[in-house]
Amino acid sequence: MSIALALLALALSCIGILWIVGVWISQRIHSVWSRPTGGLDPITGPKDRMAIYDTGGPFIPMPEALKTHEEMVAWMTKELPKLTAEAGKP
């Protein structure tokens, strides 16, 4: 009985390894085919992203002096509503 269990465990292990290899190969093939064919992405940083995708709408940048979560939340709850109200005025 123990030999049968050993052979069953060996067979299941081989099937599992073959399944893992198949999944790995299919993921590799998919990643190769899904790569963009264009050139390099011109966007390298957040300032470049704003310059390229700026729609001309109101954009209020967060001050760079804010470092902690509490400072950012305080700025968003106190100063940001004032700035958005001023941006809406003609």
Side-chain angles (χ1 to χ4, degrees), residues 2-90:
S2 63
I3 293 177
L5 287 176
L7 290 175
L8 180 64
L10 180 65
L12 290 176
S13 299
C14 289
I15 291 171
I17 289 173
L18 289 175
W19 180 75
I20 290 173
V21 168
V23 169
W24 179 73
I25 289 173
S26 68
Q27 290 293 327
R28 298 279 295 180
I29 290 172
H30 176 70
S31 67
V32 169
W33 285 347
S34 65
R35 288 187 184 151
T37 58
L40 295 175
D41 187 13
I43 302 171
T44 57
K47 294 190 186 292
D48 294 334
R49 189 175 307 274
M50 286 189 300
I52 291 173
Y53 294 116
D54 188 21
T55 60
F59 177 74
I60 302 171
M62 185 178 290
E64 293 183 11
L66 304 176
K67 300 295 180 195
T68 64
H69 177 72
E70 288 81 17
E71 291 174 343
M72 291 179 192
V73 170
W75 180 81
M76 284 186 222
T77 56
K78 294 177 184 171
E79 297 297 323
L80 188 59
K82 295 176 190 174
L83 295 173
T84 54
E86 291 173 4
K89 295 179 183 176

